[in-house]
Amino acid sequence: MQGHLAMLSFSALVAGSFSLGGLMANDIDPAAFIAVRFWVAAVIVGALAYTLGGFGAGSFAAPWRYGVLGGLFGIYFVLMFEGLKTAPPVSAAAVFTLVPLMAAVFAWLLLRQVLTSRMAFALAIGGCGALWVIFRADLGALMRFDLGRGEAIYFVGCVSHAIYTPMVRRLNRGESAVTFTFGTVIAGGLLLSVYAWAEIAATDWAALPARVWITLFYTAFFATAVTVVLLQFATLRLPSAKVMAYTYLTPSWVIVWEVILGNGVPPIMVLGGVALTVLALFLLLRDDEAGQH
């Protein structure tokens, strides 16, 4: 139950990144933004770890593990914001819902976690719902595979996220979620700082609009520090495919965020695809409950 509650919170917090990110994606270089975001998140997570009693002995053994996880997470976030330059937030959130299907494949390759037939069916329904939204309920666009540039860029980032999920379980050696999160964001911050140093130095940080700073705080605290802890907490308690099943709620949460921010509601036909993603989540939760009896 704790794992499920963690992922419910995860999906709501992640959704805010799409709507806020869509507002400021063209104001700053994505890699520079994410590098600073990781450093701010590292301070927050480090303070949290200190409050909870510090880091255990051997927490940072084999530091290459954090390099792998930080690199995968960095790629995901940079490509997300690059994609949001042109992709509508609801469409990007729909691309994100393809992660569970990909995570299930990588979980089998890395951990030999096997899907039940019902889980496979639910993931397929969720994938159909995602395609429905991504191609804006246009069968002709689907047949031509007329995918927007932003959606295509973000899809590559989602592949990185799908690899990250089972890698957490593969590389964890008993460290707490907070410790593992701290190592991940520090490594991600270092890698992105090296990669985007020229862009970081060239950015006039004082001249950035307020929406960039609001998004930076939100994404550093809620959508990086908090969600990485929630994701790693849940990953150590639930199979990878079920952890990522909660991403199916993300388009629904994004619609709520868009309404709150005054951006309106997507076309009624697109909402049919969102409904399919919610149905997929409930199928996966039923499967989870059935497996406990």
Side-chain angles (χ1 to χ4, degrees):
M1 182 57 69
Q2 288 178 331
H4 289 301
L5 288 173
M7 290 311 298
L8 185 65
S9 303
F10 169 91
S11 63
L13 293 173
V14 163
S17 298
F18 290 95
S19 293
L20 292 173
L23 292 176
M24 50 66 64
N26 291 294
D27 293 329
I28 184 173
D29 177 80
F33 178 82
I34 300 303
V36 175
R37 168 185 175 173
F38 273 16
W39 286 118
V40 174
V43 171
I44 294 168
V45 177
L48 179 61
Y50 180 79
T51 303
L52 295 175
F55 302 102
S59 292
F60 300 104
W64 63 269
R65 297 177 298 152
Y66 298 112
V68 171
L69 295 174
L72 288 170
F73 230 39
I75 290 168
Y76 165 73
F77 280 124
V78 169
L79 294 183
M80 172 185 174
F81 278 80
E82 187 65 40
L84 281 169
K85 288 182 176 181
T86 54
V90 175
S91 292
V95 176
F96 188 49
T97 63
L98 294 173
V99 170
L101 193 56
M102 295 188 287
V105 173
F106 289 118
W108 181 81
L109 291 172
L110 295 169
L111 304 172
R112 287 298 184 263
Q113 286 183 356
V114 180
L115 284 177
T116 65
S117 57
R118 184 186 292 221
M119 283 179 70
F121 178 62
L123 291 174
I125 287 179
C128 289
L131 292 174
W132 187 331
V133 178
I134 293 164
F135 290 100
R136 298 167 184 80
D138 184 343
L139 187 59
L142 175 60
M143 297 285 63
R144 297 190 304 273
F145 207 73
D146 186 12
L147 186 63
R149 180 176 182 273
E151 287 88 344
I153 290 171
Y154 183 45
F155 176 78
V156 178
C158 286
V159 173
S160 182
H161 196 308
I163 298 171
Y164 171 88
T165 306
M167 285 298 285
V168 168
R169 182 173 288 207
R170 179 73 181 265
L171 297 179
N172 186 276
R173 298 183 181 178
E175 296 90 352
S176 69
V178 175
T179 297
F180 224 50
T181 300
F182 182 74
T184 298
V185 293
I186 284 286
L190 284 169
L191 291 170
L192 282 175
S193 295
V194 171
Y195 172 75
W197 181 250
E199 288 75 14
I200 294 170
T203 299
D204 185 356
W205 295 93
L208 291 172
R211 60 180 175 265
V212 175
W213 294 106
I214 292 168
T215 306
L216 178 65
F217 174 77
Y218 179 89
T219 55
F221 183 72
F222 293 107
T224 301
V226 175
T227 58
V228 171
V229 171
L230 291 171
L231 182 61
Q232 295 187 354
F233 179 88
T235 298
L236 298 175
R237 288 161 177 77
L238 301 169
S240 294
K242 289 179 183 174
V243 166
M244 299 315 297
Y246 276 90
T247 61
Y248 288 137
L249 283 182
T250 304
S252 301
W253 284 118
V254 169
I255 290 171
V256 173
W257 274 91
E258 290 291 283
V259 170
I260 291 171
L261 293 172
N263 296 330
V265 179
I268 191 71
M269 287 297 290
V270 170
L271 294 179
V274 174
L276 277 183
T277 63
V278 175
L279 174 61
L281 171 69
F282 282 113
L283 282 173
L284 285 166
L285 294 185
R286 270 192 64 196
D287 177 61
D288 188 58
E289 290 164 4
Q292 293 174 357
H293 296 296

